[in-house]
Amino acid sequence: MERRCVEILTFAGLDKPLSYAIPPELDGIVAVGMLVRVPLGRSVTLGIVTDVHRADADALPYRVREIIAIEYDYPLLGRDTMALVEWMSRYYAASNKSVLEAIIPAAIRNNISAKFSAKVSLLKFLSDDERSLLKRRAPKQHELYQFLLENGAVERSAAVKFSSSAVNSLLGKGIIGETFRVQDRLVYGEFTDAGATSRAADIALTEEQRMAADDIAKSLTIGKFCTHLLHGVTGSGKTEVYACGIRRVLDGGGDVIYLVPELALTPQTVSRIRRAVNLYGVEVVVWHSGLSDGERRDAWLAMASGRSRVVIGARSAIFAPLKNVRLIIVDEEHEVTYKQSDSPRYHARDVAVYRAKLCDAVCILGSATPSMESLFNVSLSKYKLNCLKNRVDGSKLPAMEVVDMRHERTSRGVKIISSRLMELVAACLANGEQTILFLNKRGYASVVFCQCCDYVAACPHCSMSLTYHRQQHLLRCHICGYVEELPTK
């Protein structure tokens, strides 16, 4: 019997896929993107199927070993994600192994078991005589029988309150039965608003919001890759514009990836988006580093199996195994937390744009202070610009002042706090108000300059001021890592 060959990219650190044969019992089942277990040397390793072809393994001039087993019954990665693996490996100079491990979590690779919940219910109704006999001989069993008679099927945890031996005894007698079902571990379940019934049309958008939402909707209708930079001041209602796009995608049967920069923002965002898509009956899953292995397992498989169509999470959510990605949202796209510090050292914003390109999807980059890269791409007409210049409630932005600390000199040197700031803090305290001071500082002094000539010690590579670290007596650049000694004059 002819055995077909497949190409498999293993987790063993090899940069090229290896050829394996499909055993007869798996013929017609193995597909691209599946996680499989294969032999490699004297060991066994995991791998992802990258290609399935018709070549007869027995006709090859070399011996081809067979796949041992498939880990899941459906592909974990789509063709767009497979292309993303290849691009990330090349663009970020990372190994295929590190990219695959970043995309497929350990909970999936280790095949963490599902969480089951058990329910008990009556299988046999006792006659009056049988109930009287049970009450005399086993009072606890009688109490449990009566409880199930009145309440129907209940969780086993509720039944064992009468005693676990009573439950086991009735199970052994065939009076009650036990059923098991897989229980999904829902993250932020307390933020699910089952009573929400509003839709985007029910929410009055401002003129700026409506224009931005219409422009994004036009791109979604065309169905081609496009990136929008949504430049909106704080409080301008960017989230409502996102929600309009999400609902339009769900109307068309598409999937959505929504990235947020910090874990602290996730519950708030999950609550708002779940309310926005409640009428669609869509399962919104959460993805970030704070999840347990069990929660990761349930969330990943919900996306890979198609049960979930919307994912909200931190940077690693960009690898969500959704099948029909039509919209990717990167909120606060300027944030440095989207940059991964370990290999592969990817930037989730850039990966989001590239994945949108692979999927012919729309990517929305939202920010009140866009990154220079995004603004530059707007100037090149690579990105479309949508602006929200006013707050939704019409309130004004707080007044801001920039104080030149070079003018805050005394006979003892430069003051740490400016005279203007001292006046405002004193005025607040005199009025019984409160003041918050943010200190954004690494090192002993963020700037070193000469009071005579105004020379500022700067990095020769980045043109940024060097920071003085007192313990090492060194000047450091916190951008590129350049170091020099503190000048004596």
Side-chain angles (χ1 to χ4, degrees), residues 11 35 48 76-77 99-106 108-109 300:
F11 285 80
L35 183 66
I48 289 289
L76 295 186
L77 302 182
V99 175
L100 285 174
E101 289 179 346
I103 292 177
I104 303 176
I108 298 299
R109 302 197 303 270
W300 182 273

Side-chain angles (χ1 to χ4, degrees), residues 217-375:
K218 187 184 300 181
S219 297
L220 290 170
T221 302
I222 294 173
K224 295 294 183 181
F225 165 63
C226 181
T227 301
H228 288 257
L229 176 60
L230 185 59
H231 184 184
V233 299
T234 304
S236 59
K238 293 187 290 293
T239 304
E240 288 304 327
V241 177
Y242 300 153
C244 290
I246 291 173
R247 277 182 283 253
R248 179 170 287 271
V249 169
L250 295 179
D251 280 333
D255 301 332
V256 179
I257 298 175
Y258 191 135
L259 301 186
V260 292
E262 300 176 39
L263 297 185
L265 293 177
T266 310
Q268 172 188 343
T269 306
V270 170
S271 176
R272 298 179 70 176
I273 298 303
R274 278 179 175 162
R275 285 199 302 269
V277 303
N278 183 71
L279 288 180
Y280 293 88
V282 172
E283 182 180 350
V284 179
V285 300
V286 178
W287 189 265
H288 56 68
S289 60
L291 302 184
S292 66
D293 283 344
E295 290 169 338
R296 284 174 176 271
R297 182 253 182 211
D298 292 351
W300 182 273
L301 295 184
M303 294 182 285
S305 63
R307 288 190 291 112
S308 174
R309 295 168 54 196
V310 180
V311 58
I312 300 174
R315 60 176 175 263
S316 57
I318 190 56
F319 305 124
L322 297 173
K323 304 300 183 186
N324 186 24
V325 176
R326 308 308 309 151
L327 177 62
I328 300 177
I329 299 168
V330 185
D331 196 21
E332 307 297 340
E333 60 89 19
H334 63 277
E335 286 285 351
V336 296
T337 51
Y338 282 125
K339 182 73 169 67
Q340 172 74 14
S341 59
D342 302 325
S343 183
R345 293 174 174 83
Y346 66 91
H347 198 301
R349 179 198 61 216
D350 300 338
V351 176
V353 173
Y354 193 79
R355 185 171 184 185
K357 180 180 179 181
L358 292 173
C359 298
D360 264 340
V362 173
C363 182
I364 304 176
L365 309 179
S367 176
T369 54
S371 62
M372 294 299 295
E373 297 93 330
S374 296
L375 290 173

Side-chain angles (χ1 to χ4, degrees), residues 437-455:
L437 297 178
F438 288 101
L439 181 64
N440 182 19
K441 182 178 178 182
R442 289 169 58 194
Y444 182 76
S446 56
V447 178
V448 175
F449 66 92
C450 177
Q451 297 186 40
C452 299
C453 65
D454 289 339
Y455 164 79

Side-chain angles (χ1 to χ4, degrees), residues 397-416:
L397 290 170
M400 295 195 301
E401 295 184 35
V402 178
V403 177
D404 190 345
M405 293 300 293
R406 292 177 299 179
H407 299 158
E408 299 289 330
R409 297 173 178 172
T410 66
S411 58
R412 299 176 60 184
V414 179
K415 295 190 295 185
I416 297 176

Side-chain angles (χ1 to χ4, degrees), residues 52-74:
V52 179
H53 46 81
R54 294 184 175 276
D56 184 2
D58 297 322
L60 296 175
Y62 49 85
R63 177 173 171 263
V64 179
R65 304 174 77 176
E66 289 187 346
I67 295 173
I68 296 175
I70 57 175
E71 295 296 289
Y72 300 92
D73 295 334
Y74 42 81

